[in-house]
Amino acid sequence: MPLFGNSFSPKKTPPRKWASLSNLHLLDRSTREIELGLEYGTPTMNLAGQSLKFENGQWVSESGSFLGDHRELQRLRKRNQQLEEENNLLRLKVDILLDMLSETTAESHLMEKELEELKQHSRRKK
């Protein structure tokens, strides 16, 4: 005979209450931003002495020196193009060198085989 009863029977859990009793979730967005202070402003960053802000999906310079930025941008694009062309040339050279190495290796293996066959042929004659 069990001490505490015949079987284990847990109590029913009470129904859950609302997760939040606050009525802030019922407010419209602008009121929530005012109440909760969610207005952050535009993201900004300082990169190499240049202050940039994020507007309409693009990073824009905060300073008014767009002409200087434009010249710098053109210079960087030209340098980038030169580096891409150089990179393509170097890739082509590496491909050619790999082909040459493969060809030389194949010829070397063929010559080794031929040499082995000649050695075996000369041993048979003796």
Side-chain angles (χ1 to χ4, degrees):
M1 178 176 243
L3 268 182
F4 300 108
N6 290 342
S7 64
F8 177 74
S9 59
K11 293 181 182 178
K12 278 194 165 185
T13 57
R16 293 184 182 219
K17 297 180 181 178
W18 280 79
S20 172
L21 298 177
S22 171
N23 62 354
L24 289 176
H25 67 281
L26 299 174
L27 299 175
D28 63 304
R29 182 178 179 199
S30 60
T31 309
R32 267 187 285 165
E33 286 178 355
I34 293 169
E35 289 289 325
L36 301 174
L38 295 177
E39 193 167 325
Y40 299 116
T42 59
T44 59
M45 74 172 168
N46 191 358
L47 186 64
Q50 188 75 10
S51 182
L52 303 169
K53 63 182 176 180
F54 193 74
E55 287 182 350
N56 300 325
Q58 292 187 351
W59 287 99
V60 179
S61 174
E62 281 188 344
S63 62
S65 64
F66 287 108
L67 187 59
D69 291 340
H70 184 65
R71 287 183 187 149
E72 181 71 11
L73 185 61
Q74 283 182 338
R75 187 187 68 76
L76 289 174
R77 282 186 180 154
K78 185 176 180 182
R79 179 69 177 143
N80 189 28
Q81 180 67 28
Q82 289 172 346
L83 291 173
E84 284 178 0
E85 289 173 2
E86 183 180 348
N87 193 16
N88 289 338
L89 179 66
L90 291 173
R91 284 183 182 169
L92 180 65
K93 286 182 177 182
V94 166
D95 285 342
I96 291 171
L97 286 172
L98 285 174
D99 288 345
M100 291 170 63
L101 178 64
S102 299
E103 184 179 342
T104 305
T105 304
E107 287 175 358
S108 170
H109 286 299
L110 285 174
M111 288 181 175
E112 285 176 6
K113 258 187 182 178
E114 248 181 68
L115 185 61
E116 285 297 320
E117 288 175 3
L118 286 174
K119 284 181 180 177
Q120 287 178 358
H121 186 65
S122 67
R123 288 180 192 158
R124 289 182 195 160
K125 285 186 175 181
K126 290 182 182 179

